[in-house]
Amino acid sequence: MLTKKNQKFCLELCLGFWIGVAICCFLMVACRSQSGVAELELNVSASVAATNLPQNDLRRSNPVISKYVKEMTPEVQESISGIFLVADESHYGKYRDSSGKDHGVSGHCHRDSRKICLTAETVAKWPSVIDHEATHAYHLRLRAEGSDFDKKWRPGHGITWYACDAQKTTGDFLEDVAEWVQEVKVCARGEYSEFAYHFHWNDARRHNLYLLLEYKFVREAEFLVFLEKNPKATRKP
């Protein structure tokens, strides 16, 4: 038989036990909540890295991107669904040249949505890549609309090694057109371009150059500046 003193002791012991249980439960819930937040954040980050589809379109908010977009023709601007910064290098994959060597890629235009993804380093160091990817967006739009541009373009007269090699490996001149537009615009801005070399102009190259103006890949003002810098590119009457 328990004495009153022992009963009081047992009561305090039980009370202490249940208080301890309550505290443990509270701590477990708190820890689990924090763990859940961390896990959620990790899953969101992993999801963004996997899908590579950020929501912040930078065509207006990023000063460099905004500047380049404003210098495009309205037709090219309207073809872009959005421009996004994606840091995950695996998003861009690699370009395998005709010799089997892999090269890193720092920009990409999604064929289905015409959304452009770039790395922050690309925008900072090689902003003319914006023109290259925007050209893809517009070119893809022309194809979707049944334009006859592709029928008029003369393949095999690329400016850069990459454009010529890409045509070999893919059987498509999408890169060729993008490289032409990029180099024309770079040259018109007074920046270094492939035209700094002793570029040999022939009728086929002049034909392709004037197609860029005819189909509104470039603005007339920059096209005229380009001709001033490259008088041999002027088409004969």
Side-chain angles (χ1 to χ4, degrees):
M1 184 174 180
L2 294 174
T3 63
K4 288 185 178 180
K5 185 176 181 180
N6 289 338
Q7 288 178 350
K8 183 179 180 182
F9 173 77
C10 290
L11 181 61
E12 289 175 348
L13 184 62
C14 290
L15 184 61
F17 171 79
W18 287 113
I19 291 174
V21 170
I23 292 173
C24 288
C25 290
F26 173 79
L27 291 175
M28 287 175 65
V29 170
C31 290
R32 183 161 184 166
S33 296
Q34 291 179 354
S35 175
V37 171
E39 185 179 357
L40 178 61
E41 291 174 349
L42 179 63
N43 288 339
V44 169
S45 298
S47 176
V48 171
T51 59
N52 298 315
L53 294 175
Q55 299 301 313
N56 51 330
D57 181 359
L58 301 176
R59 282 178 289 180
R60 294 183 180 179
S61 59
N62 183 289
V64 176
I65 292 175
S66 176
K67 173 182 178 293
Y68 274 73
V69 170
K70 287 178 181 177
E71 293 177 356
M72 298 172 187
T73 65
E75 290 77 9
V76 174
Q77 292 184 37
E78 293 166 4
S79 302
I80 303 169
S81 299
I83 300 179
F84 308 91
L85 291 184
V86 177
D88 183 6
E89 293 183 1
S90 65
H91 168 77
Y92 304 99
K94 293 187 180 295
Y95 168 69
R96 178 163 293 176
D97 65 27
S98 56
S99 68
K101 184 179 179 181
D102 288 337
H103 302 265
V105 178
S106 55
H108 178 70
C109 177
H110 293 268
R111 286 176 176 258
D112 52 349
S113 62
R114 300 203 302 269
K115 289 181 178 180
I116 295 172
C117 295
L118 303 162
T119 65
E121 184 180 24
T122 297
V123 175
K125 295 182 179 180
W126 309 286
S128 64
V129 174
I130 299 170
D131 293 322
H132 180 107
E133 301 303 333
T135 300
H136 284 331
Y138 181 46
H139 195 172
L140 291 168
R141 175 188 164 190
L142 289 180
R143 287 182 172 180
E145 294 176 350
S147 169
D148 61 352
F149 171 79
D150 280 8
K151 294 178 181 178
K152 294 183 178 181
W153 185 263
R154 295 181 184 175
H157 300 280
I159 302 171
T160 65
W161 166 87
Y162 168 63
C164 295
D165 190 76
Q167 190 170 317
K168 264 194 250 177
T169 56
T170 65
D172 192 355
F173 49 84
L174 199 71
E175 297 297 335
D176 189 14
V177 177
E179 290 284 280
W180 265 90
V181 173
Q182 181 178 351
E183 294 300 324
V184 167
K185 292 174 80 70
V186 163
C187 184
R189 292 189 189 104
E191 301 169 7
Y192 176 81
S193 78
E194 294 294 328
F195 293 107
Y197 292 103
H198 296 290
F199 190 74
H200 175 66
W201 286 98
N202 54 34
D203 290 341
R205 283 176 166 170
R206 292 189 188 94
H207 170 83
N208 285 350
L209 174 67
Y210 276 79
L211 281 182
L212 300 181
L213 176 64
E214 179 184 347
Y215 283 83
K216 305 186 186 303
F217 280 90
V218 297
R219 292 180 297 112
E220 183 176 9
E222 62 190 350
F223 186 82
L224 294 176
V225 171
F226 176 84
L227 290 182
E228 287 179 8
K229 295 177 180 292
N230 301 273
K232 291 183 178 180
T234 304
R235 188 164 57 187
K236 298 176 182 179

